[in-house]
Amino acid sequence: PDCAMSRRRRSVVRAAGIVAAAAATEHRGWRRVVVGGFSRDVEAAHHARLLRLLSERHCQPRALSSTQAALPTDAAVVWLRPAVVPAVRRTFGSVVDDAAWRPDGTRVALLFLRRRFHLVMRAFSAAAANASSAASPPRSRRALAGSPTTKKKSSSSSKGSPPEQGAEKTTSPHRANDVRRYGGVVAPGKEAEAIHATNNGSLATVAIFDTGVRRKPSHFREARIVETINWTSEPTLRDKLGHGTFVASLIAGASPECPGFAPGVALRVHRVFTNDQISFTSWFLDAFNYVLWRGGVDVLNLSVGGPDFADAPFADKIRQLAAAGVAVVSAIGNDGPTWGTLNSPADMAEVVGVGGLDVGRRAGAVARFSSRGPTLDGISVGRVKPDVSAPANGVLGAVLDADHCRAMHGTSVAAPSVAGLAALVASAHRQSTAGDSSAYRWNPAMLKQCLTETATRVSPAPFGTDDAAGTNARTASIFAQGFGRINATAAEACGRTYASDTRDRGRVSLLPSAFDLTDCPYWSPHCEQPLTPWTRGGKAVNVTVVNGMGSVFRIPEWRWEPSRDDGAHLLEAHVEIDPSKRFWPWVGSVVAAFTVSSGIVDERVARGTLSLRVDTLLPIHADDDVELSPCHDFDNATTQWVSLRVAIPVAPPKPREKRLLWDATHSLAYPPAFVARDALRQQADLLDWNGDEPATNFRTLFAFLRGRGYEIDVLREDLVCFDAERYGALLIPDPEDEFASEEIAKLADDVARRGLGLVVLADWHSEALVEEAAFFDDNTQVRWRAAVGGANVPALNRLLAPFELAFGGEVYEGPLPDAWCDPGGCAFESGNALAVVPRGAYAVSAPALRRRRSNAEMRDAQRRLGAPASAGPKKAQRHALDPATPAHAPVVLAAAGRVVAFGDSACADDAHRGATARGGSQFCGPLLAAAVEVATTGRRNASVFPDAARVLPFGGGAESEAPDSRHRRRTTAVQLAPAASGLVSPLLEKYSRRRRPPGTPTSLPWTPRLRPCPAFPGLP
């Protein structure tokens, strides 16, 4: 009756034996949304917004079963004839609701279509064609056969990468081989065996999204696999990879060799990855919608992840699940030890993000492959993630079609340990409140509080013993281990006593509860330099408010109480909170920054307490069926104050030549921009997504400069917003954004008149190579073209024009001179050589570099050499690099006065060092030290900038080499090669942080617009 389908689709529906359907369809860019018996036309781009609006106005679809469950508004309902049901069940599992009968004898099936209506219709057509002609309905029962569970590793916008990279590459089934490989093995569930006598998780339900589950009686004796559903295009429920089966055994396994945390738990298995390790966002959305409609799930395990924190439909569903009382547990990712490599959805505040720990030789240390924080979701100050950690190396679990256990590694095998423990916490809570209809209700906030507050902190090795940057896993920063290793006994006890401890009201807490920068390296990198009166933005922390009292709350008030000891009266707090903002569900983020007055004259520790008032909308109890939303008022709100303890070392500022400013404003990353990778030879990841900040993939450089006595501030505003006289030099690493004309003029004046030095670390740029970096994305069905190459070299040339410096348009790669590198050598991964330098500058070449040619150039070369066209780029790839001759060695480093330009940033970038063919390169410490020294003091290191590299002025005479605080404007520059010019892709306007309003006349495709300088830098 409520159909909005074309005649062709309607015929397909009838052929499949479907009686009626409600769906969302598209026509000429518009989408007809059929919800609850009425329809509206709306632009497809605003489809999700309309659905949220309808939900807030209580426009729900009609009830579908005896339970009167509400169907998500972006779902469709299909009624099937009995003859079709068996074939549909074989294809889609228990998506058919056996309990939902209609008067005409048909069954109810749920199809959460979302952009794949035609695919599902074809599947149902095939099912109808193969269905038996018998019309008698089958016996009502739940399917227990093979189920699904997997992880979403998103390499682009697609959620379809293989399940957790490290966890797949596993092991011999023989224990001796496992021990040799990992140095030891562990069965995490054994630490909960003492709990199983009174609590085996039988009162909780866990949903697993993975590759399915192959059930073996020896591994799943007690667990109740109550549901298995296939959401993929592959017509099978069978797990042939073993990843999902392994994950399920860690949650609910019963093998004495590798028991699960909650062997009595009820499992609902959702297959969202094919056996070819393919998945799509829509499959996840379908499964999420089904969980929301069906209800009854306490914990959802996602051993999946990807960098796309801007995937709004996916993130919205995660929040809806949390609001519905489902605790989502997700693996943090296997992209360590680089910092800032958190995967989504584990980086979301609503999710329990799980990091990985080592076993065996390095037992208790954070696993090297475990991804690190902080979060990079568009907020200037990242949140603390992961939340907790669990064993992730040498972990024993179930083997397909075998009774023994095997070892695997990866954070995808750490997450199910936490999901199993979460089931124990939920079950313990229900045991303690059994029979009390007014008792406090289980919710995700309660779980996060119990896990984080009972976790045991991982003890790090002495700071700096592993490496200078502290990037090694054993340096257990809060951004590597979270709040520590899970403690099964303490967490289960917390769930058992939570209701009585909080008098059935719940409580509000802060994560972290203290911002103590005297605790180092736990608070690295924040604790690695003191707070000074000149620290830009002060010391800032992103605090997560976890509200176990209710899912909707606000923070209308805050107060700062400085301690009177240790000179804390000098410390001031800055918090930007909209009193009317409503946080939902269960959690919210608040950024607080702390500054010190200019009167500080010695080093000390300043302390104080920041308190937040939290107004919660209605306490949540088991007999409260009101569905809260941010639209409700706060007339019946309860109030609680929570406090953050603060301790920050403070000190006077360093001399100007020891103060550096890091430009983070002009760095763009995925998402939302598709910025091509910095190292072209690194084929495993097409995207630049690490943030390019001292706290993320430039941690080695940050620690290196700190070790040489420099103080580093981070600029998150335009270049017109800082006082140049406070800094010795400005660092611009790997910029992708455009520079406004006002910024270019201001920087030229700062260098010429105010004694500011400048260090630019560029990266590769070539229009042909940018075009070749494009790819077709199966998930969005769109060809993605990079907005810019490794760096925005045309924009850099406009910035460097006042100093008569410019980069060329050719890309080079290869080894750098040994004098520039740490022991072991370093590489010029992919970068541009300098094309223009001023006379009197030092222009240093790298003779071992080779030029990278595009595929088009290689095809032209093949034609000239008479090679067959069928050889193609792959065969020609062996000849893609042209060796440089000594007479034409590319100039990749130049120092002109106190301005230094280098053509590649990869040797300083933790994410890209190691991309070379022979196992990686080392840090280019001597080069960077010499560059910063020239920029801050004018002193030249002859081993990096030799006399022979000087470009002589006219007449061949020598100029004074004395440090000059003012850059000398020269009238004529030396042209080494054609300079890169032109306009970057118009795509960059879409992603730039500074956009010109529409209709503004400009000679460029777009002109960056300056943003107002904030009253207090750093706060959102």
Side-chain angles (χ1 to χ4, degrees):
D2 294 328
C3 288
M5 294 180 289
S6 67
R7 181 175 303 174
R8 179 174 177 274
R9 286 184 177 175
R10 202 169 285 134
S11 64
V12 173
V13 170
R14 292 196 185 99
I18 296 174
V19 178
T25 61
E26 292 184 6
H27 177 66
R28 295 181 180 177
W30 291 78
R31 180 171 293 181
R32 179 169 290 271
V33 184
V34 182
V35 182
F38 68 93
S39 63
R40 288 189 181 184
D41 287 333
V42 62
E43 286 184 329
H46 299 291
H47 176 56
R49 184 180 303 175
L50 172 68
L51 295 176
R52 287 195 295 270
L53 177 64
L54 296 175
S55 178
E56 290 172 2
R57 293 182 179 176
H58 307 288
C59 300
Q60 298 288 350
R62 56 191 174 195
L64 299 174
S65 68
S66 57
T67 59
Q68 300 294 302
L71 180 70
T73 52
D74 54 353
V77 186
V78 178
W79 288 271
L80 306 174
R81 291 196 181 99
V84 182
V85 171
V88 171
R89 186 186 302 283
R90 286 193 296 270
T91 303
F92 291 96
S94 55
V95 70
V96 179
D97 184 358
D98 290 336
W101 288 86
R102 302 182 74 236
D104 58 3
T106 58
R107 304 275 183 86
V108 175
L110 301 178
L111 297 179
F112 304 104
L113 306 178
R114 250 196 194 281
R115 301 190 303 276
R116 62 183 189 120
F117 184 80
H118 60 289
L119 298 178
V120 179
M121 290 300 100
R122 283 204 297 268
F124 270 81
S125 297
N130 297 324
S132 169
S133 60
S136 57
R139 187 174 302 173
S140 176
R141 61 181 180 180
R142 301 279 183 192
L144 298 178
S147 292
T149 235
T150 265
K151 56 186 242 180
K152 94 183 188 175
K153 172 70 178 175
S154 163
S155 62
S156 66
S157 68
S158 170
K159 304 296 181 237
S161 294
E164 208 57 55
Q165 290 171 356
E168 252 70 44
K169 307 171 185 170
T170 53
T171 71
S172 165
H174 303 292
R175 179 63 54 82
N177 291 343
D178 291 342
V179 172
R180 280 195 298 270
R181 178 178 183 182
Y182 296 109
V185 293
V186 62
K190 287 189 174 182
E191 68 180 83
E193 285 183 321
I195 303 172
H196 294 164
T198 57
N199 177 14
N200 67 354
S202 60
L203 299 182
T205 301
V206 176
I208 304 175
F209 284 32
D210 216 287
T211 60
V213 171
R214 187 94 60 87
R215 186 179 183 188
K216 282 286 291 182
S218 59
H219 285 293
F220 300 101
R221 280 196 304 271
E222 301 174 60
R224 296 163 292 137
I225 303 180
V226 300
E227 188 173 59
T228 59
I229 304 178
N230 176 32
W231 299 102
T232 74
S233 59
E234 195 172 57
T236 181
L237 295 171
R238 189 175 179 85
D239 177 18
K240 294 182 180 179
L241 291 175
H243 187 273
T245 302
F246 193 99
V247 166
S249 72
L250 293 175
I251 297 173
S255 169
E257 185 184 5
C258 53
F261 271 81
V265 73
L267 294 180
R268 297 183 184 271
V269 182
H270 297 261
R271 188 170 187 264
V272 290
F273 272 84
T274 69
N275 289 319
D276 293 328
Q277 303 178 4
I278 296 173
S279 184
F280 292 94
T281 300
S282 58
W283 297 353
F284 279 90
L285 298 180
D286 290 348
F288 288 153
N289 278 333
Y290 180 81
V291 171
L292 287 168
W293 175 80
R294 172 70 71 182
V297 172
D298 301 306
V299 182
L300 192 156
N301 183 82
L302 289 172
S303 289
V304 307
D308 195 356
F309 60 77
D311 187 350
F314 192 93
D316 287 346
K317 285 300 169 191
I318 294 291
R319 295 187 182 97
Q320 290 176 30
L321 287 165
V326 180
V328 181
V329 178
S330 182
I332 208 72
N334 296 332
D335 296 296
T338 303
W339 300 87
T341 51
L342 298 176
N343 283 201
S344 173
D347 63 343
M348 295 179 62
E350 296 82 2
V351 175
V352 177
V354 184
L357 300 176
D358 261 324
V359 296
R361 293 181 297 268
R362 300 167 33 114
V366 176
R368 185 170 180 82
F369 55 75
S370 182
S371 292
R372 302 331 196 233
T375 58
L376 298 173
D377 53 4
I379 301 176
S380 58
V381 182
R383 293 186 308 279
V384 172
K385 281 283 181 171
D387 295 291
V388 292
S389 297
N393 221 354
V395 176
L396 293 174
V399 181
L400 289 178
D401 298 325
D403 294 329
H404 63 266
C405 302
R406 65 171 179 176
M408 294 177 71
H409 69 280
T411 54
S412 64
V413 301
S417 292
V418 177
L421 177 55
L424 292 181
V425 174
S427 188
H429 173 72
R430 293 199 173 100
Q431 287 178 351
S432 66
T433 58
D436 186 356
S437 61
S438 63
Y440 178 82
R441 179 188 295 177
W442 151 272
N443 62 64
M446 181 191 108
L447 172 66
K448 180 166 280 197
Q449 289 170 337
C450 285
L451 290 176
T452 57
E453 293 170 7
T454 62
T456 304
R457 186 191 293 191
V458 174
S459 299
F463 185 57
T465 59
D466 293 303
D467 60 359
T471 56
N472 190 283
R474 294 184 65 105
T475 302
S477 163
I478 191 173
F479 297 105
Q481 65 165 298
F483 295 94
R485 189 191 191 282
I486 55 172
N487 185 324
T489 303
E492 195 264 356
C494 172
R496 191 174 299 278
T497 62
Y498 189 91
S500 58
D501 291 344
T502 62
R503 299 180 181 179
D504 281 335
R505 294 180 58 201
R507 55 184 167 81
V508 184
S509 59
L510 300 181
L511 295 179
S513 60
F515 187 46
D516 185 359
L517 300 191
T518 64
D519 187 1
C520 210
Y522 184 65
W523 270 104
S524 173
H526 295 297
C527 63
E528 293 179 30
Q529 61 183 14
L531 174 65
T532 75
W534 285 2
T535 300
R536 188 168 187 84
K539 290 287 186 180
V541 61
N542 193 327
V543 180
T544 300
V545 181
V546 183
N547 193 341
M549 301 178 70
S551 62
V552 183
F553 62 96
R554 65 182 179 182
I555 305 174
E557 183 182 356
W558 64 275
R559 60 180 178 227
W560 168 246
E561 299 175 4
S563 169
R564 295 300 173 185
D565 300 329
D566 299 323
H569 58 282
L570 301 174
L571 200 63
E572 300 176 356
H574 308 265
V575 182
E576 289 290 337
I577 298 179
D578 181 358
S580 63
K581 179 179 180 180
R582 302 179 181 214
F583 296 95
W584 171 89
W586 310 108
V587 296
S589 294
V590 175
V591 177
F594 303 93
T595 59
V596 64
S597 65
S598 57
I600 188 74
V601 295
D602 56 0
E603 296 184 5
R604 61 182 69 184
V605 177
R607 305 177 190 272
T609 302
L610 177 66
S611 299
L612 304 176
R613 175 187 150 193
V614 180
D615 291 351
T616 305
L617 181 62
L618 298 177
I620 305 299
H621 295 282
D623 60 349
D624 184 2
D625 292 328
V626 178
E627 182 181 352
L628 299 179
S629 77
C631 300
H632 287 77
D633 58 40
F634 279 75
D635 294 339
N636 194 26
T638 59
T639 297
Q640 182 176 336
W641 284 87
V642 287
S643 299
L644 176 75
R645 294 180 290 106
V646 179
I648 302 177
V650 297
K654 287 183 175 290
R656 180 185 181 185
E657 62 270 16
K658 286 294 184 180
R659 302 196 76 249
L660 304 175
L661 184 63
W662 185 290
D663 176 25
T665 303
H666 296 87
S667 291
L668 300 177
Y670 176 86
F674 170 27
V675 177
R677 64 193 184 278
D678 291 336
L680 289 172
R681 283 187 285 182
Q682 183 168 320
Q683 300 295 326
D685 200 340
L686 301 176
L687 308 169
D688 183 0
W689 60 285
N690 298 126
D692 295 340
E693 295 200 14
T696 59
N697 52 310
F698 282 93
R699 278 286 288 275
T700 301
L701 177 56
F702 171 75
F704 175 77
L705 295 174
R706 284 291 303 151
R708 300 182 71 86
Y710 291 100
E711 181 181 325
I712 302 158
D713 285 355
V714 179
L715 176 68
R716 304 186 189 280
E717 298 81 36
D718 296 328
L719 297 183
V720 299
C721 295
F722 74 96
D723 182 359
E725 295 182 354
R726 289 189 172 185
Y727 300 97
L730 172 68
L731 307 183
I732 305 180
D734 190 15
E736 290 89 8
D737 207 348
E738 274 286 348
F739 295 90
S741 57
E742 296 89 341
E743 293 178 294
I744 296 172
K746 196 256 187 186
L747 183 59
D749 186 70
D750 288 342
V751 172
R753 300 177 181 277
R754 292 178 174 80
L756 181 72
L758 175 64
V759 177
V760 172
L761 303 179
D763 221 290
W764 69 270
H765 172 84
S766 164
E767 287 298 326
L769 292 175
V770 168
E771 184 62 33
E772 289 176 4
F775 65 92
F776 182 81
D777 178 51
D778 289 333
N779 200 44
T780 59
Q781 295 292 295
V782 172
R783 186 173 184 269
W784 285 36
R785 188 185 188 279
V788 69
N792 192 340
V793 170
L796 275 178
N797 283 350
R798 288 188 282 273
L799 182 75
L800 295 173
F803 316 116
E804 297 182 351
L805 285 165
F807 290 99
E810 296 180 341
V811 177
Y812 292 86
E813 56 190 51
L816 290 171
D818 291 341
W820 297 5
C821 307
D822 286 357
C826 58
F828 195 84
E829 297 286 3
S830 303
N832 286 37
L834 284 147
V836 179
V837 295
R839 293 192 176 275
Y842 290 85
V844 191
S845 61
L849 298 189
R850 297 182 295 175
R851 187 172 73 87
R852 173 175 281 271
R853 294 184 292 173
S854 67
N855 289 337
E857 289 180 290
M858 288 187 283
R859 286 192 293 267
D860 291 341
Q862 283 181 292
R863 283 194 294 268
R864 288 195 299 270
L865 295 173
S870 60
K874 290 186 178 179
K875 185 173 181 179
Q877 186 70 27
R878 289 174 294 178
H879 310 288
L881 300 176
D882 295 333
T885 62
H888 299 89
V891 173
V892 295
L893 174 66
R898 288 177 55 187
V899 177
V900 180
F902 182 58
D904 184 32
S905 64
C907 67
D909 187 340
D910 299 334
H912 298 292
R913 283 187 295 114
T916 53
R918 294 188 177 181
S921 63
Q922 300 300 315
F923 183 65
C924 50
L927 164 65
L928 297 169
V932 172
E933 185 177 22
V934 168
T936 54
T937 66
R939 292 191 292 269
R940 176 175 58 89
N941 185 330
S943 62
V944 176
F945 299 101
D947 294 338
R950 192 176 187 201
V951 180
L952 295 178
F954 284 110
E959 287 187 351
S960 171
E961 296 186 16
D964 188 355
S965 62
R966 297 175 55 159
H967 178 83
R968 297 184 177 180
R969 177 63 183 245
R970 296 167 176 83
T971 57
T972 304
V974 177
Q975 186 87 21
L976 304 176
S981 61
L983 307 176
V984 297
S985 167
L987 285 172
L988 193 58
E989 178 182 10
K990 178 180 178 181
Y991 303 123
S992 174
R993 296 186 176 99
R994 295 95 45 78
R995 304 180 204 169
R996 180 73 63 178
T1000 304
T1002 172
S1003 59
L1004 295 172
W1006 63 282
T1007 301
R1009 174 176 57 88
L1010 288 178
R1011 299 166 297 179
C1013 296
F1016 187 84
L1019 288 182

